[in-house]
Amino acid sequence: MSMVLTVTVNPSYDTTATAVRVEPDRKIRCTEAVEHPGGGGINVARVIGILGGNATALWTNGGLFGIGLGQLLDSAGVDHIPIDISGHTRQSFAVIEDKTHRHYRFSTPGPDISEEELEDLAAVVRQNQYDFLVISGGLPPSVDPEFYNRLASIATGKGARVVLDTNGEPLRAALAGGDVYLVKPNFRELAEAVGMEPGDGNFDVTSSSRELVEQGKAAVVVTSLGPAGVILTTTKGVMRIPAPTVTISSKIGAGDSTVGGIVYRLGEGDDLIAAVRFGVASGAAAVMTPGTELCKRHDVESLIAAILADSDD
């Protein structure tokens, strides 16, 4: 079994509640809230644990929400390394409207993090042993977009494979360094990565993902197309992997579940295609769960069986 370290520079204390109706200028009375530890890398570590593997989550811890997030990770049985910061870990709040099932999501930008605190985090990446480093989620506004590139360089120098799931300038900066093994953008993030707009008539998923691979920015590009599945691109070619049809409850956490499923199966020795198929099943299973809940193992196992049956037809 491979060792996995995930990095979450801007984690969140996720709270989900439901309300009969969400309206302006009125007090919205919600149900009892449900809390989960959140943020890209933390979610990936949780998914790997749900699926039967082990991962260690490295994250920044500050203020009351940081304390609460650590308690939630302990309760979930997730191995984790908190890096204490002077700022406050953010909260994300989601309200689900009963009648329409619409999701209203609110999130603050995150804390200021000093260079000394970032170096504490980078030191853990430098000093620990792991086979995969998963860098997932956005950065607070105070952090240099080059920071992910810095972490990727450290991990590659240690012989680890870097998996990246972020957006905007941190995505472009990390890819420019050439130390990313696998990147999982969605349609919009892929366009950003190649300097185009999603609505640009010249933008094409296949050619853009090939561009990243041919330029050596990533060895593997897994482009998420939502309910249509993913496009897997490597030096060997391009392959479309469709997603199974499921009843959608919430799209929150689907991307993190996809990444978690891929890394888990790669760590178990699967080849890349098999691992990505498992990731697609994990992402589809996540949308079946409400709010910020992630995938459930029995759903993933059922869906991957269906995917494999379809691929044999």
Side-chain angles (χ1 to χ4, degrees):
M1 181 180 294
S2 295
M3 299 175 65
V4 180
L5 179 66
T6 73
V7 177
T8 313
V9 180
N10 198 17
S12 64
Y13 185 95
D14 287 351
T15 303
T16 303
T18 60
V20 174
R21 182 177 298 173
V22 178
E23 296 178 292
D25 304 320
R26 293 187 60 183
K27 180 183 289 186
I28 309 300
R29 298 192 181 277
C30 298
T31 61
E32 183 177 354
V34 177
E35 286 89 17
H36 290 107
I42 284 176
N43 285 340
V44 171
R46 288 172 59 204
V47 168
I48 291 173
I50 289 168
L51 296 174
N54 292 290
T56 299
L58 174 61
W59 60 286
T60 54
N61 168 33
L64 292 176
F65 286 128
I67 293 172
L69 200 156
Q71 292 171 343
L72 290 173
L73 287 170
D74 288 339
S75 296
V78 177
D79 184 39
H80 62 102
I81 303 173
I83 299 298
D84 292 336
I85 61 172
S86 59
H88 289 254
T89 299
R90 67 193 174 107
Q91 181 190 34
S92 293
F93 193 83
V95 178
I96 304 170
E97 192 174 61
D98 273 338
K99 291 187 176 182
T100 64
H101 300 292
R102 290 174 179 163
H103 287 63
Y104 297 85
R105 301 169 65 184
F106 307 90
S107 182
T108 54
D112 290 337
I113 304 178
S114 70
E115 181 55 37
E116 291 76 16
E117 291 164 344
L118 291 172
E119 177 51 35
D120 288 342
L121 189 149
V124 175
V125 175
R126 189 178 297 111
Q127 294 164 6
N128 280 263
Q129 296 300 316
Y130 45 86
D131 302 292
F132 292 91
L133 180 72
V134 180
I135 304 172
S136 183
L139 288 171
S142 64
V143 178
D144 188 337
E146 287 285 341
F147 185 63
Y148 281 166
N149 185 30
R150 177 174 158 191
L151 297 182
S153 177
I154 293 171
T156 300
K158 293 168 64 68
R161 286 188 279 183
V162 176
V163 176
L164 178 69
D165 185 12
T166 189
N167 57 74
E169 193 56 37
L171 172 64
R172 290 189 290 271
L175 290 174
D179 290 310
V180 173
Y181 166 67
L182 185 151
V183 62
K184 191 210 71 63
N186 59 28
F187 185 86
R188 175 183 56 79
E189 292 161 350
L190 178 62
E192 291 177 349
V194 297
M196 299 182 72
E197 295 291 333
D200 190 326
N202 294 320
F203 172 68
D204 176 71
V205 170
T206 299
S207 60
S208 295
S209 58
R210 278 177 173 160
E211 179 182 329
L212 294 182
V213 172
E214 290 169 357
Q215 292 179 352
K217 293 183 176 181
V220 180
V221 180
V222 179
T223 306
S224 173
L225 304 177
V230 304
I231 292 180
L232 168 63
T233 305
T234 68
T235 55
K236 296 181 180 180
V238 179
M239 179 180 183
R240 172 81 169 270
I241 299 178
T245 301
V246 298
T247 300
I248 297 175
S249 180
S250 168
K251 297 179 182 179
I252 300 173
D256 297 329
S257 292
T258 299
V259 173
I262 293 172
V263 174
Y264 168 61
R265 290 313 308 175
L266 286 175
E268 292 294 303
D270 280 7
D271 63 44
L272 183 61
I273 294 174
V276 174
R277 281 179 174 150
F278 195 88
V280 169
S282 301
V287 306
M288 298 167 62
T289 61
T292 54
E293 286 189 37
L294 299 171
C295 61
K296 295 181 178 178
R297 185 172 181 175
H298 63 84
D299 289 333
V300 177
E301 291 171 347
S302 296
L303 292 173
I304 189 61
I307 290 174
L308 292 175
D310 288 343
S311 66
D312 292 336
D313 291 342

